Amino acid sequence: MGYAGPEYFCNREKEVENLTEAYRNNRNVTLYSPRRLGKTGLIQHFFSETQKTDSKVITIYVDILDTVDLEGFINLISSAVLNATETKADGFIKRMTELFSGMKASFLLNEYTGMPEVQLGLGTTPEKEHSLAAIMNHLENSTTPVVVAIDEFQQISNYPEKNVEALLRKYIQQQQNVNYIFSGSEKHLLLPMFSDAKRPFYQSTQHIHLKKLEFDTYKSFIQKHLNEGNKNVPEIVLDYILNWTDIHTFYTQYVCNTLYALQEEEIALGRVKKLLFEILTEKEGYFHTLTKLLSKHQLQVLAAVAKENVLTEPTAQKFLRKHELSGAATVRKSLQALVSKGLVDEELSDEKPEYRVNDVFLRRWLEMR
Ligand SMILES: Nc1ncnc2c1ncn2[C@@H]1O[C@H](COP(=O)(O)OP(=O)(O)OP(=O)(O)O)[C@@H](O)[C@H]1O
Ligand SMILES: [Mg+2]
């Protein structure tokens, strides 16, 4: 499900305002949130709002999650840039040939999107750096403002080439007319890129930490859409859903879409509970596979975190006793393993860590067992 327009996008006014202000003042932004909370949607919403007031702005979005090295990055960013700056396929090819003259550059049409993509055959390091310079200079020469969003930006720290951050920083610093949004959900990889004094991007951006939507705002938004679809859902049922999904956007959206597709127009609490159970059952095979990859102790800790909903004191006797967990030190170790595996989120709230099983469906399934 991609961004479907402002009608289907709830609030985020403050965040759009912050992004707009950063853009107007030529500041780059780091956008962070836990998984599936709405980063990509927000970027697309911001782009669409900005285009309304600034018809000349060029907006570029790349998701680099699937790239494994600098070459993959260059191919992806070049394709996105050329698709944004050249409106016709001939223009794309002509510009590509011009930019990468002397290099093995070809293009292909993406089977799914039908859009042209650059395929550079880059052998040596100087060739890679040369092509990156070419595409970055092309951006720098833009006479109209450009906003580039690089989603899952932490991925570049996994590339085998060690100087990618420094290289990118060098070009980005030179560009007058281009603003960047670096977003991602892997906090332990993303945030140090901007907060560690030894890293090239140190303190070069404004940070935006995306949080959950506000309960009542989200509730009214859902109510309105369900009413438009002739569904009568009592307020207590909506409260139940939002508590069950922990107001997490992806899961709320999923549940509401499933509910929307039901035949019935009157939706009582019992019907929703049945629906939620069906969703969990549908995903059970996947949860079994996932939990089999954990040690017995890790699974025990995961289930305990799930049952707590939000865990604040992982080593407190009360928590250990309630879930029959032995030894604060081993619990801490398993919890850290679950955090690095990306199954548990560790967020700071008033300087204190809070732990949650981030996949809300998995959380409810573990809770139910
Ligand atoms: N403000 C919003 N109003 C309504 N739906 C939203 C909103 N933000 C996000 N969503 C929905 O929530 C789901 C997840 O959003 P999105 O893909 O933007 O999250 P993400 O943080 O980029 O996720 P990931 O970590 O997987 O990249 C999508 O289905 C999207 O349509
Ligand atoms: Mg995303």
Side-chain angles (χ1 to χ4, degrees):
M1 284 172 284
Y3 173 66
E7 257 300 277
Y8 299 94
F9 198 77
C10 177
N11 194 290
R12 297 298 189 204
E13 278 169 23
K14 187 89 200 107
E15 288 82 0
V16 170
E17 209 177 285
N18 288 339
L19 286 168
T20 307
E21 209 181 286
Y23 161 64
R24 302 241 178 272
N25 292 295
N26 250 305
R27 284 193 303 260
N28 296 333
V29 169
T30 304
L31 172 65
Y32 161 76
S33 86
R35 292 225 53 198
R36 296 173 153 185
L37 209 63
K39 292 176 297 299
T40 306
L42 172 63
I43 294 169
Q44 282 164 344
H45 182 61
F46 164 65
F47 279 181
S48 128
E49 293 296 297
T50 307
Q51 271 151 358
K52 282 182 198 162
T53 51
D54 224 337
S55 61
K56 284 212 192 76
V57 65
I58 296 174
T59 56
I60 299 173
Y61 173 85
V62 274
D63 180 341
I64 61 166
L65 189 66
D66 292 335
T67 59
V68 294
D69 55 18
L70 180 58
E71 178 167 343
F73 178 86
I74 296 170
N75 279 332
L76 210 61
I77 193 119
S78 305
S79 307
V81 169
L82 291 177
N83 272 311
T85 56
E86 310 297 328
T87 45
K88 297 210 177 76
D90 325 352
F92 183 104
I93 300 166
K94 189 164 162 269
R95 180 72 69 189
M96 183 186 84
T97 322
E98 221 169 79
L99 286 178
F100 304 116
S101 73
M103 280 180 260
K104 245 195 275 165
S106 55
F107 85 101
L108 52 84
L109 288 178
N110 182 296
E111 214 183 310
Y112 299 101
T113 61
M115 302 293 270
E117 283 176 4
V118 178
Q119 292 282 305
L120 290 164
L122 301 169
T124 63
T125 307
E127 270 177 343
K128 287 177 199 166
E129 294 185 2
H130 186 62
S131 59
L132 185 64
I135 198 71
M136 288 310 226
N137 291 335
H138 175 54
L139 271 182
E140 193 186 335
N141 292 335
S142 169
T143 49
T144 52
V146 181
V147 190
V148 183
I150 308 183
D151 211 349
E152 308 299 349
F153 187 64
Q154 74 279 341
Q155 192 60 23
I156 69 167
S157 62
N158 292 324
Y159 293 169
E161 295 90 353
K162 287 297 154 234
N163 61 340
V164 180
E165 279 173 55
L167 263 181
L168 279 177
R169 174 80 180 121
K170 185 180 86 183
Y171 295 118
I172 287 171
Q173 223 162 1
Q174 291 162 1
Q175 295 169 337
Q176 300 293 321
N177 238 347
V178 192
N179 288 293
Y180 286 82
I181 300 169
F182 306 106
S183 63
S185 42
E186 285 189 60
K187 185 168 54 175
H188 64 290
L189 292 176
L190 182 73
L191 300 187
M193 295 169 86
F194 302 92
S195 62
D196 179 343
K198 293 193 278 305
R199 308 275 291 264
F201 279 94
Y202 175 60
Q203 288 193 344
S204 65
T205 60
Q206 174 188 338
H207 286 245
I208 298 182
H209 181 162
L210 190 65
K211 303 222 165 95
K212 288 178 190 170
L213 286 162
E214 214 249 315
F215 193 99
D216 288 329
T217 314
Y218 205 8
K219 187 162 90 175
S220 320
F221 170 85
I222 298 168
Q223 184 73 273
K224 176 172 167 275
H225 283 279
L226 289 172
N227 286 347
E228 281 167 10
N230 290 324
K231 294 268 183 272
N232 182 16
V233 187
E235 200 174 331
I236 56 151
V237 176
L238 288 178
D239 289 342
Y240 185 87
I241 294 175
L242 279 169
N243 282 315
W244 193 91
T245 59
D246 200 10
I247 337 173
H248 197 307
T249 346
F250 173 84
Y251 304 92
T252 311
Q253 191 70 21
Y254 191 104
V255 169
C256 291
N257 281 338
T258 320
L259 194 148
Y260 195 86
L262 293 175
Q263 296 290 333
E264 302 98 293
E265 290 185 352
E266 299 290 324
I267 313 282
L269 187 57
R271 182 64 190 99
V272 165
K273 286 187 178 173
K274 185 162 169 270
L275 180 86
L276 297 173
F277 182 72
E278 285 160 2
I279 292 175
L280 296 185
T281 312
E282 197 183 287
K283 306 200 176 295
E284 193 157 45
Y286 165 67
F287 293 151
H288 274 302
T289 316
L290 191 74
T291 48
K292 268 198 197 117
L293 298 172
L294 303 175
S295 75
K296 202 171 154 223
H297 191 256
Q298 286 168 355
L299 180 55
Q300 221 182 335
V301 173
L302 185 70
V305 181
K307 284 171 188 151
E308 290 293 315
N309 217 14
V310 188
L311 172 66
T312 48
E313 312 247 12
T315 51
Q317 278 307 318
K318 193 168 152 238
F319 169 70
L320 300 177
R321 239 182 276 127
K322 182 170 158 196
H323 300 281
E324 297 174 18
L325 292 163
S326 58
T330 43
V331 167
R332 192 169 281 288
K333 206 167 147 225
S334 287
L335 191 60
Q336 277 318 314
L338 294 166
V339 171
S340 358
K341 285 176 198 293
L343 289 171
V344 169
D345 276 337
E346 185 180 25
E347 290 276 312
L348 288 181
S349 170
D350 292 331
E351 309 286 312
K352 284 210 194 110
E354 288 183 348
Y355 300 89
R356 287 181 180 80
V357 174
N358 62 15
D359 182 328
V360 177
F361 291 151
L362 174 64
R363 192 192 303 176
R364 298 304 176 209
W365 180 73
L366 287 164
E367 202 180 40
M368 185 175 80
R369 287 198 320 161

